Amino acid sequence: MKAVLPAAGWGTRFLPISKAVPKEMLPLGAKPVIHYVAEEAALAGCTDILIILNQSKESIRRYFEPDPVFEEILAKAGKTKELAAFRSPAELARFHFLYQPEMRGLGDAVRLAKDFIGDEPFAVLLADTVITGQSPLGHMLQVTAETGRSCVSLEQCPPERVSRYGIAGGVADAASGLYRLDAMEEKPALEAAPRLRDAQGAVLAPHAFAARYVFTPAIFPALEACPPGRNGEIQLTDAMRTLLREQGFYGAPLAGKRLDIGNPQGLLEAAALFC
Ligand code: UTP
């Protein structure tokens, strides 16, 4: 199983530190945020992880690649515990790296993974977001493998934030324990936002996409067909809507919380939970 971790964004909300340190490399304890994300992918069964980078984010590559020279120094010094910690990132999975030539949005970053993925369902995990509690990814991968439908994780969204996120509508599906989606809107006004309904048809609070996706390979032609939108960016939600129409789509509510560390406040909140 393969996973894609887009990590090429500018990180403008984290300037000035993101000028030299990628936001995905900011620490929660002794590990950077992206380590937790890779760990989650590995635990869900992903053996090959592709990280989408840009040239100024080489430290991410260095972090996940083995370093035999320093490993030998630690081994010779008998520093067994330190050696295990030093090796731990590279041991999570087989890592692969690709460079996004222009920051044309999340849809463009995912599109670059086409040749790496081939013809199987795959996971996408936003590299600047950590999930607490049970990850939904393993179940999402299983459901997509069994049904041929893609799947996105969902989190209840406060009304005042609806206009900032992708919002899903759909109905509870007893067989999968998930929601069968029937609508997706990127950054809608609250009144126009689609809603989930429970098994009795009761309308729930708005639910936003929550940084974890499992796609069938049909996402690639759907992305190719997406015209660039605002700022030349390719919106992942547009291609997801094509899949919703053509194949169907599931939503998996999070058991825990999504910690978005793409901004300083989010990192502080995450650090309080992790340290
Ligand atoms: P964000 O939109 O939160 O990241 O994308 P950003 O563009 O870095 O944010 P700001 O607004 O400038 O602060 C979510 C994830 O998608 C990646 C980011 O690195 C992040 O992990 N991403 C985003 C890409 O890989 N490529 C892009 O073109 C945009």
Side-chain angles (χ1 to χ4, degrees), residues 13-14 23 128 260-268:
R13 286 166 295 162
F14 251 117
K23 61 178 170 175
D128 64 353
D260 178 0
I261 63 85
N263 61 85
Q265 182 60 30
L267 181 69
L268 281 180

Side-chain angles (χ1 to χ4, degrees), residues 5-14 23-24 52-53 57 100 102-109 125-129 233 260 262:
L5 274 52
W10 290 119
T12 47
R13 286 166 295 162
F14 251 117
K23 61 178 170 175
E24 295 85 359
I52 311 289
L53 294 175
K57 291 185 152 183
Q100 189 177 9
E102 283 178 83
M103 295 326 116
R104 293 178 61 209
L106 185 55
D108 182 54
L125 299 87
L126 300 194
D128 64 353
T129 304
E233 290 198 357
D260 178 0

Side-chain angles (χ1 to χ4, degrees), residues 51-63:
I51 301 182
I52 311 289
L53 294 175
N54 70 49
Q55 303 292 347
S56 68
K57 291 185 152 183
E58 280 298 321
S59 58
I60 295 178
R61 182 172 197 147
R62 242 185 355 263
Y63 183 79

Side-chain angles (χ1 to χ4, degrees), residues 234-248:
I234 296 175
Q235 295 292 342
L236 187 58
T237 309
D238 292 344
M240 287 168 64
R241 220 181 279 112
T242 305
L243 262 52
L244 170 70
R245 222 176 28 244
E246 292 179 353
Q247 300 185 325

Side-chain angles (χ1 to χ4, degrees), residues 99-274:
Y99 293 80
Q100 189 177 9
E102 283 178 83
M103 295 326 116
R104 293 178 61 209
L106 185 55
D108 182 54
V110 172
R111 192 178 63 89
L112 295 175
K114 184 171 183 274
D115 291 344
F116 168 77
I117 293 299
D119 202 26
E120 282 176 20
F122 65 103
V124 172
L125 299 87
L126 300 194
D128 64 353
T129 304
V130 175
I131 302 285
T132 66
Q134 176 73 38
S135 164
L137 204 60
H139 186 42
M140 290 165 65
L141 283 162
Q142 188 193 337
V143 167
T144 301
E146 284 168 8
T147 64
R149 295 195 168 106
S150 298
C151 193
V152 57
S153 66
L154 300 174
E155 185 182 44
Q156 192 174 320
C157 175
E160 67 277 11
R161 293 201 195 158
V162 162
S163 59
R164 284 199 238 160
Y165 294 118
I167 306 290
V171 66
D173 174 65
S176 62
L178 304 179
Y179 288 86
R180 200 181 272 259
L181 301 187
D182 54 22
M184 295 175 176
E185 285 298 333
E186 187 63 33
K187 304 184 175 69
L190 179 58
E191 316 73 60
R195 297 292 187 92
L196 297 179
R197 292 156 333 265
D198 69 15
Q200 284 71 47
V203 176
L204 308 181
H207 278 66
F209 303 155
R212 303 293 183 258
Y213 310 80
V214 173
F215 293 122
T216 67
I219 193 73
F220 296 115
L223 281 166
E224 296 296 344
C226 281
R230 208 158 31 97
N231 309 326
E233 290 198 357
I234 296 175
Q235 295 292 342
L236 187 58
T237 309
D238 292 344
M240 287 168 64
R241 220 181 279 112
T242 305
L243 262 52
L244 170 70
R245 222 176 28 244
E246 292 179 353
Q247 300 185 325
F249 220 109
Y250 282 110
L254 288 186
K257 270 185 73 150
R258 174 240 316 247
L259 304 174
D260 178 0
I261 63 85
N263 61 85
Q265 182 60 30
L267 181 69
L268 281 180
E269 285 167 20
L273 285 173
F274 271 75

